[in-house]
Amino acid sequence: MVQSKKQKYLFLAFCLVPTLVMFSIFTLYPLVNGLYYSLFSWSGSSSAAEFTGLNNYVKLFNDSIIPRTIYHDYFLVVTKVFGIMILATFFAVALTQLRIKEAPFYRIVFFFPNIMSVVVIGILWSFIYNPSLGLINSGLELIGLDSWARPWLGSEDWALPSLVLPSVWAGIGLFMLMLMGGISNVSKSYYEAAEIDGATEWQQFWKVTLPLIWPQIKISILYIVITTLNGSFIIVQVMTGGGPNNSTHVMGSYLYQQAFKQYNFGYGATIGVMILILSLITVLIMQFFMRREKVEY
């Protein structure tokens, strides 16, 4: 069917304009609005907003809690990237290369946490970490390790590390499936050739599998980084509320506290700008260090 240029442009506009409108409403407008309100002192409920210029940014650099929130965010980023990627890669290779009969069942089991709400996951693990009735302390006491039992979410030293386990548990399934898709597309002839050349299974994984699924690994790592920097406040808010004594506050949860609990929306918007800048810088740096040429055999 022959179409005129006008018809083609109308079709493209029909496809692109609704997306552009939605992107503008839900992304560009909040972004510009956040930048705007970061220059004001505003409670969020009053009609009057006092212009303060860069005072909120000066306050940001002098806030002693901000460096701690940044450290907590990047602690979760590093531990989640290593924890999720190592386990997801291990299980993806095991379920595709070892010819396990129950592989479809295990796929469902590992992916199940991904269909659960983060709030539900946070509540579930709060019960698991419960110092009196939780499975962890009860299990330690059962095997005679009573001295290891502790109030996990109530300890300044253990509260933040305790958030890593539920975060990793909830993320393995999705990235395992992504890596399994990449591994399934690797031709078996490469493994046969490597085996003929005398390569061990570890060498086959390191020299064949890993280079060929690098695009999936790279996308997975970037996705984990972005979602952690922008979304880890949910599990923090549900499980610890930023406590005890600000020991688990991340940038997002501290923004929530300033904006919605202390009614300092101007300062909250400033923290949001900081999150945006740090996220962009982090992703650009990681894109630079993870760049590599496409591998073909």
Side-chain angles (χ1 to χ4, degrees):
M1 183 177 179
V2 179
Q3 292 182 333
S4 65
K5 287 186 176 181
K6 183 179 179 180
Q7 289 176 318
K8 290 181 180 178
Y9 289 141
L10 286 173
F11 176 75
L12 289 174
F14 177 78
C15 295
L16 296 177
V17 170
T19 304
L20 181 60
V21 170
M22 298 295 288
F23 178 76
S24 300
I25 293 174
F26 293 105
T27 302
L28 291 181
Y29 174 73
L31 175 62
V32 174
N33 219 29
L35 290 169
Y36 173 76
Y37 279 113
S38 69
L39 303 175
F40 288 82
S41 175
W42 182 45
S43 67
S45 57
S46 64
S47 59
E50 180 185 355
F51 179 78
T52 57
L54 298 177
N55 284 358
N56 284 328
Y57 291 92
V58 174
K59 180 181 177 181
L60 183 75
F61 284 107
N62 293 322
D63 192 335
S64 60
I65 298 179
I66 289 296
R68 297 180 65 184
T69 64
I70 295 174
Y71 167 76
H72 297 161
D73 256 315
Y74 282 97
F75 174 84
L76 292 176
V77 165
V78 173
T79 52
K80 284 179 65 176
V81 165
F82 279 97
I84 291 175
M85 293 310 301
I86 290 173
L87 292 173
T89 304
F90 171 78
F91 290 123
V93 172
L95 294 178
T96 51
Q97 304 292 80
L98 300 183
R99 299 176 183 177
I100 300 174
K101 292 182 180 179
E102 298 82 5
F105 170 75
Y106 289 123
R107 291 183 188 182
I108 297 172
V109 171
F110 281 112
F111 188 73
F112 183 74
N114 291 98
I115 65 176
M116 297 172 63
S117 165
V118 179
V119 175
V120 174
I121 292 172
I123 294 173
L124 172 65
W125 279 88
S126 294
F127 281 108
I128 293 174
Y129 281 126
N130 186 285
S132 302
L133 305 174
L135 290 176
I136 293 181
N137 281 356
S138 299
L140 291 173
E141 292 171 2
L142 185 64
I143 61 176
L145 296 176
D146 304 54
S147 59
W148 289 26
R150 63 196 72 234
W152 298 97
L153 300 179
S155 167
E156 291 187 29
D157 295 327
W158 287 98
L160 184 63
S162 296
L163 297 177
V164 176
L165 190 56
S167 301
V168 171
W169 175 78
I172 292 174
L174 173 63
F175 301 104
M176 182 194 73
L177 291 180
M178 289 179 63
L179 297 179
M180 287 179 69
I183 295 172
S184 300
N185 289 328
V186 178
S187 174
K188 293 182 180 179
S189 61
Y190 298 145
Y191 297 107
E192 293 171 357
E195 191 172 352
I196 292 172
D197 291 337
T200 63
E201 291 185 355
W202 171 254
Q203 289 173 327
Q204 290 178 35
F205 167 75
W206 194 256
K207 298 294 185 180
V208 178
T209 305
L210 204 59
L212 290 176
I213 64 170
W214 179 250
Q216 287 85 359
I217 292 175
K218 179 180 176 181
I219 292 172
S220 299
I221 292 174
L222 290 175
Y223 185 82
I224 293 170
V225 171
I226 293 171
T227 53
T228 301
L229 290 176
N230 292 275
S232 59
F233 77 94
I234 302 175
I235 200 162
V236 169
Q237 200 65 33
V238 173
M239 294 185 68
T240 65
N245 194 25
N246 298 319
S247 61
T248 57
H249 258 315
V250 293
M251 292 182 286
S253 63
Y254 191 53
L255 183 158
Y256 179 85
Q257 176 181 299
Q258 290 292 325
F260 297 99
K261 290 187 175 180
Q262 299 183 10
Y263 300 103
N264 194 346
F265 272 74
Y267 189 50
T270 307
I271 299 173
V273 173
M274 178 189 68
I275 295 174
L276 172 65
I277 294 173
L278 288 178
S279 299
L280 288 174
I281 293 173
T282 303
V283 170
L284 290 174
I285 291 173
M286 295 193 70
Q287 286 271 33
F288 175 79
F289 282 107
M290 291 195 299
R291 75 189 192 282
R292 59 188 298 176
E293 294 181 1
K294 185 177 180 180
V295 176
E296 293 183 359
Y297 289 119

